[in-house]
Amino acid sequence: MNYRIETKEAFRIVGVSAPLEKEIEKNFTVVPEMWQEASLNGTIQKLAGMTDTPPMGLLGVSACNDEEQWRYFIAVSSTKASGAFEEYTVPASTWAIFSGTGTNQSIQELEQRIITEWLPASGYEYANAPDIEVYLNPDPQNAQYEVWIPVAKKKA
């Protein structure tokens, strides 16, 4: 798997969100429906015009920490006024960033491989920050994307 490790400062995202279930399988229905609705109702087009800071592209952000209700955001990184959109600050973190291409189904497959294959053997463990999908080219049949997993060096 092709990846790089990068440390990033905190950044602000604006977008729409929905609650996520602790039972992960249910989210494989909720999240695609959210994208479908955001595409049809013009949300994605509005958000695309607000992107002005890295990471560039549409973002799928899974904010799943112990303190708050789990949420999934369709968002962009932006310094602009959020208007009707929600805001969320992604904390400063170290990220393992994996690149991929293919369909929107292939991004879910990549995420599963990262968790089951790469992470256990990597010398890293999950850190307390969101998972991020960065859609560089959001074409559903020929997507280019990155998967950002928050990591910290495993303590010996």
Side-chain angles (χ1 to χ4, degrees):
M1 278 186 270
N2 189 11
Y3 74 95
R4 63 190 189 275
I5 303 291
E6 290 187 18
T7 301
K8 306 263 187 200
E9 294 299 314
F11 59 94
R12 173 180 166 264
I13 61 170
V14 296
V16 294
S17 78
L20 286 175
E21 299 290 332
K22 303 266 187 201
E23 195 178 312
I24 302 300
E25 292 301 313
K26 290 184 180 171
N27 298 325
F28 289 130
T29 306
V30 171
V31 170
E33 286 172 358
M34 236 183 113
W35 280 98
Q36 178 77 23
E37 185 177 332
S39 177
L40 293 174
N41 69 17
T43 296
I44 286 176
Q45 291 79 1
K46 286 180 194 146
L47 287 172
M50 295 177 71
T51 304
D52 66 357
T53 57
M56 303 307 269
L58 281 169
L59 309 177
V61 178
S62 300
C64 305
N65 62 38
D66 298 336
E67 295 88 56
E68 302 166 320
Q69 160 75 49
W70 289 10
R71 298 196 76 70
Y72 182 86
F73 289 85
I74 296 174
V76 294
S77 180
S78 180
T79 59
K80 297 180 180 172
S82 59
F85 293 117
E86 298 173 57
E87 293 182 32
Y88 178 82
T89 300
V90 175
S93 297
T94 298
W95 307 91
I97 301 175
F98 298 80
S99 298
T101 58
T103 64
N104 291 344
Q105 188 64 40
S106 61
I107 197 166
Q108 290 179 347
E109 292 163 8
L110 176 60
E111 288 169 342
Q112 288 192 307
R113 286 187 58 214
I114 292 166
I115 302 309
T116 59
E117 296 172 27
W118 181 82
L119 195 59
S122 68
Y124 288 93
E125 58 191 2
Y126 243 107
N128 189 17
D131 290 8
I132 302 175
E133 302 154 358
V134 180
Y135 294 93
L136 306 167
N137 171 12
D139 176 346
Q141 297 311 310
N142 185 27
Q144 292 179 317
Y145 51 80
E146 293 178 337
V147 174
W148 294 24
I149 303 294
V151 294
K153 281 272 192 208
K154 276 187 187 164
K155 312 226 181 337

